[in-house]
Amino acid sequence: MINRYKNLQLIQQLDPEKDHWQICYLILGYEFPWDSLRALEVALMRTYCIPSISKLLNKTGEFIHRPQKRYDDTSIMLTEIIKWGYESERGQEALQKMNSIHRRFQIDNTDFLYVLSTFIYEPIRWNQRFGWRLMCENEKLATFYFWRQIGQLMDIENIPDTYQEFERYNLDYEKANFRYSDDNRKIGESTRDLFISWFPKWLEKPLKPLTYTLLDATMLDAFGFEHPAPFLCRTVEKILKIRGRILQFFPAPNQSDFFIDHPTRTYPHGYEIAKLGPDIKS
């Protein structure tokens, strides 16, 4: 009989602080690849609810004129770091590229901290709602230690020392800074339309309210989006929970689809890390 929990058994034997990259590799590559990707998309959407962040993003024009490239560039850089590790040659190149892009702009350290925190806690919250199993403590802590290390390599200051402290920062920052702005709406609409563009044109109308079901009320208000019907939210939530229950009966993948070098919409013939990012002169 195939052991669906073989990766969990390995993860529970690892040290979440010392072995955080190995654990995150298993989480994103084998245990929750689809869920992690969806959760990180929601995480990025949450950051656009902060007017100071969306104002800067709107100013660059990347989200309005090249949303698919912006999405692909971000996805590629993060995947390179997660797949190969931040100490590898490819991981270091991706980190250096990401840092060089960020240095072109004046970004407040508190905004950096908040964005970093969403990469930790949104996947964990998604897992609590829709995962085929709940993350164990080692997985939660390893996620914190992994992204904290990434933050340190990005020269982000004042990163909290514990999982609980950083989660409190995440919640308090949202409470203090989530509010509507026209920039939020422009970036939110552009990102929403990007997601919808991946499907056939005739699905555009029904997909819009479906997209909104994955955003909570504070996000919808910050974007100025209409709230979807409660029955639609319940239906989508039930479908995702059923999907999670069904996955329990499938064997763990022997090869990670998350880490396979699929052609992207922006780079159908491959990419060079050095050429990623906006074409903006420093």
Side-chain angles (χ1 to χ4, degrees):
M1 180 179 292
I2 297 174
N3 183 3
R4 185 66 172 95
Y5 294 87
K6 63 179 182 180
N7 289 326
L8 175 61
Q9 293 167 352
L10 172 59
I11 288 168
Q12 290 175 327
Q13 296 172 14
L14 297 173
D15 184 303
E17 185 170 6
K18 295 179 181 178
D19 305 315
H20 54 255
W21 170 69
Q22 185 178 354
I23 293 174
C24 286
Y25 179 90
L26 291 171
I27 292 173
L28 280 97
Y30 295 89
E31 293 297 271
F32 311 106
W34 186 87
D35 298 83
S36 296
L37 186 57
R38 301 289 82 77
L40 289 172
E41 288 170 351
V42 173
L44 287 172
M45 287 288 284
R46 294 195 80 84
T47 68
Y48 310 153
C49 296
I50 307 295
S52 57
I53 294 175
S54 59
K55 181 179 180 180
L56 175 61
L57 295 173
N58 191 36
K59 185 177 179 180
T60 69
E62 291 294 301
F63 273 82
I64 306 303
H65 303 296
R66 292 169 291 276
Q68 185 65 63
K69 183 180 187 303
R70 176 62 164 75
Y71 177 92
D72 287 340
D73 287 352
T74 301
S75 178
I76 288 168
M77 285 185 280
L78 292 178
T79 301
E80 287 284 345
I81 296 168
I82 296 166
K83 179 179 181 178
W84 301 106
Y86 49 77
E87 293 182 339
S88 69
E89 183 177 344
R90 291 181 70 95
Q92 289 181 6
E93 186 179 3
L95 263 170
Q96 289 168 4
K97 183 62 180 177
M98 195 157 53
N99 286 339
S100 71
I101 293 170
H102 289 150
R103 278 195 290 267
R104 298 174 181 178
F105 309 102
Q106 289 187 330
I107 305 174
D108 192 271
N109 188 72
T110 58
D111 287 344
F112 263 135
L113 273 175
Y114 174 68
V115 174
L116 185 68
S117 74
T118 64
F119 289 179
I120 299 170
Y121 300 105
E122 284 309 306
I124 292 171
R125 291 163 186 162
W126 179 285
N127 170 263
Q128 289 173 336
R129 297 177 66 193
F130 306 125
W132 66 268
R133 67 165 175 81
L134 292 178
M135 285 186 180
C136 68
E137 193 68 13
N138 273 11
E139 289 170 312
K140 295 178 183 178
L141 290 175
T143 301
F144 163 74
Y145 286 121
F146 175 79
W147 287 110
R148 186 181 70 164
Q149 182 62 37
I150 297 300
Q152 291 172 346
L153 293 171
M154 293 174 64
D155 296 322
I156 299 176
E157 300 176 350
N158 303 319
I159 303 174
D161 292 326
T162 69
Y163 178 99
Q164 293 78 10
E165 289 174 350
F166 208 5
E167 184 176 29
R168 174 48 53 192
Y169 177 89
N170 171 271
L171 296 172
D172 289 345
Y173 196 75
E174 287 190 358
K175 187 175 181 180
N177 293 280
F178 264 37
R179 63 181 183 275
Y180 173 81
S181 78
D182 290 340
D183 289 315
N184 290 2
R185 187 175 185 92
K186 290 176 183 177
I187 298 300
E189 287 177 341
S190 180
T191 306
R192 175 204 65 197
D193 293 345
L194 170 65
F195 295 157
I196 293 174
S197 73
W198 299 340
F199 299 89
K201 185 71 175 178
W202 60 271
L203 284 173
E204 179 177 337
K205 188 173 181 180
L207 279 176
K208 187 179 292 187
L210 283 173
T211 302
Y212 293 160
T213 65
L214 299 178
L215 312 180
D216 63 34
T218 59
M219 295 177 70
L220 292 168
D221 291 341
F223 287 128
F225 291 164
E226 61 267 25
H227 288 228
F231 85 88
L232 185 60
C233 295
R234 291 193 296 268
T235 300
V236 171
E237 183 167 9
K238 184 173 291 187
I239 290 171
L240 289 172
K241 287 182 177 180
I242 290 172
R243 172 191 172 273
R245 295 192 189 104
I246 292 174
L247 283 178
Q248 297 178 64
F249 304 102
F250 282 76
N254 292 320
Q255 184 178 24
S256 169
D257 186 66
F258 184 86
F259 291 139
I260 294 175
D261 292 330
H262 298 291
T264 64
R265 291 173 174 84
T266 306
Y267 309 102
H269 305 296
Y271 59 85
E272 295 179 36
I273 295 175
K275 295 182 179 179
L276 299 176
D279 185 18
I280 299 174
K281 305 300 181 183
S282 55

